[in-house]
Amino acid sequence: MKKHVKVNAIILAVTLSDINFKIGSVNPSGISDEVYFIPKQDIAAWPAISDDFDTAASNDAYVQYGTGTALSFTLKTGKKWTRLYTTQGKGKISHEYTGETDCKVPVNKATLSYPKITNEIRAFCKFASNGDFVFVIKHDGKYYVIGHNDYRATVTPNGDSGDAAGSAKGITIEIECPDTTPLPTYVGEIVLTDGTLDCSDGSFTEAA
């Protein structure tokens, strides 16, 4: 006589949205020519993001920094973000998953290209190569974070003089950081020396 074993089904309170695409829509590639960065040690508190899909208020709250009440990075007194120019057509952001089953995480990556060897960029190379930074990079109208509160970002800034008239030269900056979210977006503020950038709409307010 066969015994019937009752298996309790696991019901997840997960709701994914339809993932549609409008054919013919504008869909630009590449990144902006201006990147923002800050040493992680200058951040006092991180904005909110949810790592629990069952309790996240929305898809946005699950993959985006700056939802709910904690909208922006809180910086330590006197600290500000810094700009970095990157040549368009030479940079990108990406993510790749790594790890074992049930333990996979994305590694968020960026490639930036500064076209000249200067004292300022060499100072960045010297400090960033063994430092820990957070970067915010604009793509397709949104701002993406490379960096994580619990994981160290590795920065590899290699330089090249170029080998012929008109050849590419400067610093190629490779950035990698493990995360729990693939390329999280950010809608808070970036406080710079000359004003504040609102990443929710891209507006800039000059400092008084």
Side-chain angles (χ1 to χ4, degrees):
M1 183 177 180
K2 293 183 178 180
K3 295 179 65 176
H4 293 279
V5 180
K6 183 178 180 181
V7 178
N8 293 322
I10 299 175
I11 301 175
L12 299 177
V14 175
T15 302
L16 290 171
S17 301
D18 291 333
I19 305 173
N20 298 318
F21 179 76
K22 184 178 180 181
I23 296 175
S25 62
V26 175
N27 185 30
S29 302
I31 61 174
S32 171
D33 63 359
E34 191 168 78
V35 170
Y36 310 94
F37 68 92
I38 192 168
K40 197 163 74 174
Q41 65 194 28
D42 293 346
I43 298 172
W46 286 60
I49 191 170
S50 176
D51 283 333
D52 188 344
F53 199 92
D54 288 348
T55 60
S58 63
N59 283 342
D60 286 350
Y62 191 54
V63 295
Q64 178 172 279
Y65 283 110
T67 56
T69 56
L71 292 176
S72 299
F73 287 95
T74 302
L75 307 185
K76 294 181 180 178
T77 302
K79 302 301 183 181
K80 298 182 187 300
W81 293 78
T82 305
R83 292 181 175 88
L84 172 63
Y85 174 84
T86 181
T87 301
Q88 282 198 316
K90 295 286 188 178
K92 65 178 182 178
I93 55 176
S94 62
H95 76 268
E96 296 179 5
Y97 269 85
T98 187
E100 304 281 344
T101 300
D102 293 331
C103 300
K104 290 184 182 295
V105 295
V107 178
N108 294 325
K109 302 180 179 184
T111 299
L112 310 176
S113 180
Y114 185 77
K116 191 174 179 66
I117 298 175
T118 66
N119 286 354
E120 290 78 12
I121 192 64
R122 289 191 304 112
F124 168 81
C125 294
K126 188 173 181 178
F127 183 37
S129 59
N130 288 305
D132 190 7
F133 284 73
V134 176
F135 295 82
V136 175
I137 301 170
K138 185 179 181 182
H139 158 68
D140 194 14
K142 294 184 178 181
Y143 294 83
Y144 293 82
V145 175
I146 310 290
H148 192 271
N149 193 24
D150 295 328
Y151 296 113
R152 185 172 175 176
T154 59
V155 179
T156 305
N158 293 325
D160 193 324
S161 68
D163 57 8
S167 63
K169 58 176 283 188
I171 311 296
T172 299
I173 303 166
E174 300 288 350
I175 307 161
E176 292 190 9
C177 188
D179 207 312
T180 56
T181 306
L183 295 175
T185 45
Y186 178 59
V187 293
E189 294 182 341
I190 290 179
V191 180
L192 299 155
T193 55
D194 59 345
T196 300
L197 173 68
D198 186 343
C199 292
S200 67
D201 59 12
S203 61
F204 182 77
T205 303
E206 293 186 0

